[in-house]
Amino acid sequence: MALIVQKYGGTSVGSIEKIEGVAEKVIATHKQGHDVVVVVSAMSGETNRLIDLARQISEIPNPREYDVLVSTGEQVTIALLSMAIEKLGQAARSYTGHQVHIRTDSAHTKARIMDIDEKRVREDLKAGRIVVVAGFQGVDENGNITTLGRGGSDTTAVALAAALKADECQIYTDVDGVYTTDPRLVPNARRLDRITFEEMLEMASLGSKVLQIRAVEFAGKYGVPLRVLHSTQAGPGTLITYDEEVENMEDAVISGIAFNRDEAELTITGVPDQPGIAYQILGPIGEANIEIDMIIQNIGADGCTDFTFTVHRNDYKKARQILDGIAKELGARQVTGDDTIVKISIVGVGMRSHAGIASTMFGALAKEGINIRMISTSEIKISVVVDEKYLELAVRSLHDVFGLEQKPAA
Ligand code: ASP
Ligand code: MG
């Protein structure tokens, strides 16, 4: 017998019919002899609808009241799911975040879970009940309702799994696992049976939207075994593991290719090559709350140097304005920029033990005549920035060259 936490997202509970389908699945797991705790999101579209209501009153709603409002979507689904489970003859009980003491900090709209008192859940499990918990919400030390940020139900599930020391946390969603890359771009992308936690973290932060990144971080911190599965199709899904050695044995050097369409690049040339210059250029950008992603500084020549960095596309105009100001102050040669670029990254723990990965990557891009504008590397990742018109071609050719495609059934 195992203790399993299952999380169903908005589309999986998007109608009464679907909720009844989830009830059947949950009961089936319970009948296999497992203790089951279920975390649910609001019905699809509901959270957006609530946010829109708030915006009709104020562009910047009071954060405390915003949380009181948007947390209601999940309260609806926990009750409906419990009813559906009981209708099928299985005892169940629903709880809001407050009721099971999902304690968070007070950062409304993006609160972090500090602690969960799992006693009440344990008592129910002992009594043979299925426990249904509202995702996305918690309560701060003053009793205020908080929410965890969009997609936060994943984090609720992982946190509950950690608190209960669950054997597995299963995230049911509308895809059947984590893929080598986005199948909408590369039709022969392959579902991964396993991916290491570190790789998942890179994939999630690079815009692969299967799991909320905070949930992945949380799982890593507590070593929660996490599995992503399709909510209606049967299948093993993708297991996120912590055992790198087992992964390396499978001799897949690269596990996946992630990409980010939301990038823009900025360059300032001809600035004095002297101490403090990076701080003078990048400091004001950071102070304006603009997140900088990649940074390149050239080797100086004739006492001058250049900087190129990337920011989110939404911040491009603002960053450019600031940079123009700095350029004037420093007497820089010029400022240029481009908001039609993308970042593409290959990710794999196997990179640690294999040489020549970068040259394989660059060779594949060269063969397609794709110009690389920037390169950055980490231990398990190589990223390049290219013109957005090459996105599809680049991802496809990299997917090919690293042999990530689906193998025809033998
Ligand atoms: N209902 C919330 C949202 O739409 C939380 C979640 O679905 O995970 O963001
Ligand atoms: Mg969601």
Side-chain angles (χ1 to χ4, degrees), residues 41-42 47 74 136 150-153:
S41 295
T47 307
E74 274 72 13
F136 181 50
R150 297 309 304 269
S153 299

Side-chain angles (χ1 to χ4, degrees), residues 7-11 41-42 150-154:
K7 182 258 170 178
Y8 292 89
T11 32
S41 295
R150 297 309 304 269
S153 299
D154 289 352

Side-chain angles (χ1 to χ4, degrees), residues 178-192 255 257 392 395-408:
V178 179
Y179 274 71
T180 48
T181 195
D182 187 342
R184 279 169 302 191
L185 208 65
V186 182
N188 68 359
R190 178 168 49 88
R191 181 185 56 78
L192 296 160
S255 293
I257 299 168
E392 214 173 301
V395 173
R396 284 199 181 147
S397 59
L398 293 173
H399 201 266
D400 272 356
V401 81
F402 289 108
L404 296 177
E405 71 279 1
Q406 256 171 42
K407 310 282 182 287

Side-chain angles (χ1 to χ4, degrees), residues 142-319:
N142 299 314
N144 297 303
I145 295 174
T146 55
T147 63
L148 310 178
R150 297 309 304 269
S153 299
D154 289 352
T155 304
T156 305
V158 172
L160 264 170
L164 291 162
K165 301 191 175 56
D167 296 283
E168 196 164 293
C169 180
Q170 303 176 338
I171 309 283
Y172 288 88
T173 177
D174 47 9
V175 293
D176 65 349
V178 179
Y179 274 71
T180 48
T181 195
D182 187 342
R184 279 169 302 191
L185 208 65
V186 182
N188 68 359
R190 178 168 49 88
R191 181 185 56 78
L192 296 160
D193 285 324
R194 307 159 72 89
I195 184 169
T196 68
F197 157 72
E198 271 185 291
E199 290 168 333
M200 189 62 226
L201 202 57
E202 291 286 2
M203 297 288 276
S205 70
L206 291 166
S208 156
K209 295 198 181 66
V210 187
L211 284 173
Q212 197 207 27
I213 182 149
R214 256 196 200 180
V216 181
E217 285 167 358
F218 209 107
K221 195 162 159 200
Y222 294 96
V224 175
L226 198 58
R227 192 184 289 276
V228 177
L229 306 111
H230 198 284
S231 60
T232 54
Q233 298 163 17
T238 300
L239 181 68
I240 290 130
T241 66
Y242 301 90
D243 192 351
E244 228 169 74
E245 267 160 35
V246 175
E247 300 319 303
N248 271 337
M249 274 163 50
E250 291 182 9
D251 81 22
V253 180
I254 298 304
S255 293
I257 299 168
F259 51 86
N260 188 347
R261 287 189 168 97
D262 303 322
E263 301 251 334
E265 83 183 23
L266 291 142
T267 300
I268 181 166
T269 59
V271 293
D273 187 13
Q274 64 192 35
I277 198 73
Y279 176 64
Q280 276 183 66
I281 293 170
L282 300 171
I285 305 276
E287 272 156 36
N289 254 325
I290 297 172
E291 217 175 293
I292 299 169
D293 183 15
M294 288 165 127
I295 305 172
I296 290 176
Q297 181 192 343
N298 275 336
I299 293 282
D302 305 325
C304 280
T305 187
D306 310 330
F307 279 90
T308 298
F309 57 93
T310 65
V311 296
H312 193 284
R313 234 177 245 194
N314 293 345
D315 292 328
Y316 174 67
K317 286 218 172 77
K318 199 165 140 201

